[in-house]
Amino acid sequence: MGQQHRRAATATVLLALLPIALTACGDDGAPGGATPAAPQAPAQEAAAKSRERVQAYLDALAARDAAAGRSQLCAPMQAAFDAGATGPNGDFADHFTVPQATITDVRSGPHGQEVSATVTVAAGSRTATRALLFTVTRTGADWCISGETPGGRTAQPTVSP
């Protein structure tokens, strides 16, 4: 009978401590069971840093400052940038001007932060507005542009039969 009493006493103690243990897990003291604001801080920081990097690139583009544009890119992109940025069709080609560049959206994507922008490019008397999608990633303690593709996240035109 001693062993049975010991088991019963152990079970009673465990059941008595269970509510205390469960209150320690859970909402971390946030009112109403809401999740605390801290987990959102990294997402907000990522969006802000990504926006800053792309805005700096767009500013460099408008100012025709290739070195400032290059400094916003991740190291693997810099060699391709050096080879083509000031070439005949490069972002920083002499015959292009950028009268307007605007960030339209920042969101989390599969390979980092995705920053959509529209850029108006002028060459002589002709102008064109293009959508671009920049991918911004974190490298150590810093952020850099790791990709640029045409198109961005814009509405696709509908095709009528």
Side-chain angles (χ1 to χ4, degrees):
M1 208 156 235
Q3 179 117 359
Q4 189 175 10
H5 286 297
R6 200 174 308 148
R7 285 185 186 160
T10 302
T12 303
V13 170
L14 289 175
L15 286 175
L17 293 176
L18 185 62
I20 296 169
L22 289 178
T23 57
C25 300
D27 69 359
D28 293 332
T35 56
Q40 292 180 356
Q44 291 170 346
E45 177 192 8
K49 294 293 185 176
S50 297
R51 179 180 286 276
E52 287 173 17
R53 283 296 180 174
V54 172
Q55 188 61 57
Y57 184 83
L58 296 174
D59 292 346
L61 196 57
R64 317 305 306 146
D65 187 348
R70 183 184 193 277
S71 70
Q72 304 309 312
L73 304 177
C74 295
M77 285 190 63
Q78 291 177 352
F81 178 87
D82 293 343
T86 58
N89 293 318
D91 287 356
F92 291 85
D94 288 336
H95 60 281
F96 292 139
T97 59
V98 179
Q100 184 176 5
T102 306
I103 294 175
T104 58
D105 188 29
V106 179
R107 65 179 56 177
S108 183
H111 302 291
Q113 293 294 113
E114 294 179 347
V115 181
S116 299
T118 57
V119 178
T120 302
V121 179
S125 62
R126 298 181 350 189
T127 62
T129 301
R130 298 288 182 250
L132 295 174
L133 179 65
F134 294 91
T135 302
V136 181
T137 56
R138 188 173 193 158
T139 57
D142 205 4
W143 295 82
C144 59
I145 297 172
S146 60
E148 175 187 346
T149 56
R153 293 187 183 268
T154 59
Q156 297 298 320
T158 57
V159 178
S160 56

